[in-house]
Amino acid sequence: MTENVLIVGAGIGGLTAALALHGQGIDVTVIERTDLRPLGVGINLLPHAVRELYALGLGDALARQSVAPTAIAYYDTDGTLLFREPRGIDGGYGYPQYSVHRGRLQALLLAALRDRLGASAVRSNTELTAVTATTNGVRAQTSAGAIDAAVLVGADGIHSTVRKLLHPGPDPLLWSGVRMFRGAAEGEPFLDGRMMSIVKGANGVDLVVYPIGGGLINWVVMLPEADPGPLPGDAKWNKPGDRAEVLRHVEQWRLGWLDAADLVRRTDPVLEYPMVDRDPLPWWGQGRVTLLGDAAHPMYPVGANGGSQAIVDAAVLAEELASDSWNCGLRRYENRRRPETLRVVEANREMHRAGASRRPDELARVTADYRVRTAADKVRS
């Protein structure tokens, strides 16, 4: 094993990075400020991210816990099909797309990491407070004491401490004006049992619904309520949501293939979260410190790309650190990934702005443009 890389954050990006670095023969330690409880609701992984998880030997385990969507289909509130686009293997990709419970995915990654590196590879309840450069790398001050490492990777999410240390100036959360209500509940299969569906309601209200394995159906209702701008207050992803507010918009829908109001009523808890991102950074890293995932490029969750981009970040970081010196590897990683993720952030914003249409030709144009701008049809070789 080579020198140690310290990863701050045990989310999907951080754990995948640890597995990828270990696979390249690089010693790694992960710290996480919480007690590592697998939480959350559904997440979609695009084929370019699934490819990287297969490369880490996790394909079979992921498939057992997930649903592979055959298509994404758009509907009106009376159940009329507006537009359908095949996904994953059915869409001609070399790898499937997977829908999975975020907590189960995190638990899978955590179990694999502990199995391969040992339980001590992940230190929970350890919060980063400061980082200083040393002769041979960095010294991280944490709530459990100092940790010396050759490289530090900030994979600590949208409220990243590492990002704040690197970029202490103004860096506000930017709100789209949409509030997302979400949850997961047990439910009978709908349509073909593997469909990801988006219902286009009035006044920009959308319902996104799809199975995530284990008999669970994940749903997100997006409610426009303000003009875009800096977010007043904080963004807490596990904040309880107002079920009655969601029902007010969906209880008159008659889809035929799904009772949306019943699904919402049976969900506990209902969560809410503002659809936010941040302006892209001019640079990610400095010296032996860099960023990854939402810490580097938080984006609107409109293209199933946030978690997927973090996974690709992890694979590229490991590849570059294994092929070059620490400093050159970090710069090569950033030079490859920052332009690519910038395009995704911008494409997600544009897709959100164009997403109110119910016209089939416009839906087809928007989805095709998104694939081109994000290079979604290209799986990294």
Side-chain angles (χ1 to χ4, degrees):
M1 287 288 185
T2 62
E3 296 176 78
N4 181 259
V5 172
L6 177 63
I7 297 175
V8 182
I12 291 167
L15 293 174
T16 304
L19 287 165
L21 288 162
H22 173 73
Q24 294 282 3
I26 298 173
D27 189 24
V28 63
T29 298
V30 181
I31 62 172
E32 168 59 46
R33 62 187 173 192
T34 70
D35 58 0
L36 287 174
R37 289 179 298 138
L39 300 172
V41 284
I43 184 174
N44 276 281
L45 301 177
L46 298 180
H48 51 262
V50 172
R51 183 262 183 207
E52 307 300 350
L53 295 179
Y54 269 71
L56 292 173
L58 301 175
D60 290 343
L62 179 61
R64 287 193 295 270
Q65 297 191 15
S66 309
V67 173
T70 55
I72 182 170
Y74 293 79
Y75 292 86
D76 210 336
T77 56
D78 63 0
T80 300
L81 178 66
L82 301 173
F83 172 70
R84 182 182 184 276
E85 179 182 76
R87 286 297 176 101
I89 298 298
D90 290 70
Y93 297 89
Y95 292 86
Q97 176 174 324
Y98 281 129
S99 303
V100 63
H101 193 288
R102 180 183 290 270
R104 290 178 184 162
L105 174 60
Q106 185 182 12
L108 186 158
L109 296 169
L110 180 60
L113 187 61
R114 285 176 164 164
D115 180 63
R116 298 176 191 184
L117 279 76
S120 62
V122 182
R123 306 179 190 179
S124 59
N125 297 305
T126 304
E127 185 171 5
L128 179 75
T129 57
V131 179
T132 55
T134 65
T135 302
N136 297 315
V138 296
R139 172 163 292 176
Q141 299 294 338
T142 79
S143 57
I147 302 174
D148 290 323
V151 168
L152 184 142
V153 179
D156 47 343
I158 198 167
H159 298 296
S160 169
T161 297
V162 181
R163 180 175 174 128
K164 291 176 184 175
L165 293 172
L166 288 169
H167 298 271
D171 188 22
L173 285 171
L174 301 177
W175 187 27
S176 65
V178 170
R179 195 164 300 279
M180 303 185 301
F181 293 81
R182 51 195 185 141
E186 292 184 356
E188 294 296 321
F190 59 89
L191 298 172
D192 70 353
R194 296 166 60 195
M195 189 79 72
M196 182 177 181
S197 302
I198 299 178
V199 181
K200 307 295 290 184
N203 302 315
V205 175
D206 284 355
L207 165 68
V208 184
V209 60
Y210 52 91
I212 56 174
L216 292 176
I217 296 175
N218 189 82
W219 60 269
V220 183
V221 170
M222 301 186 182
L223 301 182
E225 61 179 57
D227 292 330
L231 180 72
D234 203 353
K236 296 181 179 179
W237 66 269
N238 58 350
K239 179 181 176 181
D242 184 351
R243 188 190 315 271
E245 176 67 8
V246 182
L247 289 171
R248 185 170 69 85
H249 291 275
V250 306
E251 60 188 354
Q252 300 303 317
W253 294 2
R254 297 294 180 263
L255 300 173
W257 45 266
L258 178 74
D259 187 335
D262 176 67
L263 182 63
V264 173
R265 290 190 189 99
R266 293 188 295 102
T267 300
D268 187 26
V270 172
L271 305 172
E272 72 167 79
Y273 189 80
M275 182 190 286
V276 295
D277 66 6
R278 295 186 195 273
D279 278 337
L281 295 169
W283 49 270
W284 289 357
Q286 191 172 57
R288 297 284 188 90
V289 181
T290 195
L291 300 171
L292 182 149
D294 280 349
H297 45 74
M299 58 186 64
Y300 292 167
V302 298
N305 234 327
S308 295
Q309 291 299 319
I311 289 169
V312 177
D313 284 352
V316 173
L317 175 69
E319 183 179 287
E320 293 297 349
L321 289 183
S323 66
D324 213 327
S325 67
W326 295 121
N327 289 345
C328 290
L330 289 172
R331 300 293 80 75
R332 285 167 60 91
Y333 155 71
E334 180 176 332
N335 289 340
R336 285 177 62 182
R337 291 299 296 151
R338 197 174 67 82
E340 291 179 2
T341 56
L342 172 61
R343 287 194 292 271
V344 177
V345 170
E346 293 174 340
N348 283 13
R349 289 177 174 180
E350 178 58 31
M351 191 176 191
H352 167 64
R353 286 192 291 266
S357 175
R358 301 190 208 182
R359 289 173 42 189
D361 61 335
E362 183 65 10
L363 291 170
R365 184 197 66 77
V366 168
T367 56
D369 181 63
Y370 184 80
R371 290 199 311 273
V372 170
R373 294 186 66 181
T374 63
D377 289 342
K378 297 179 181 178
V379 176
R380 207 170 65 87
S381 61

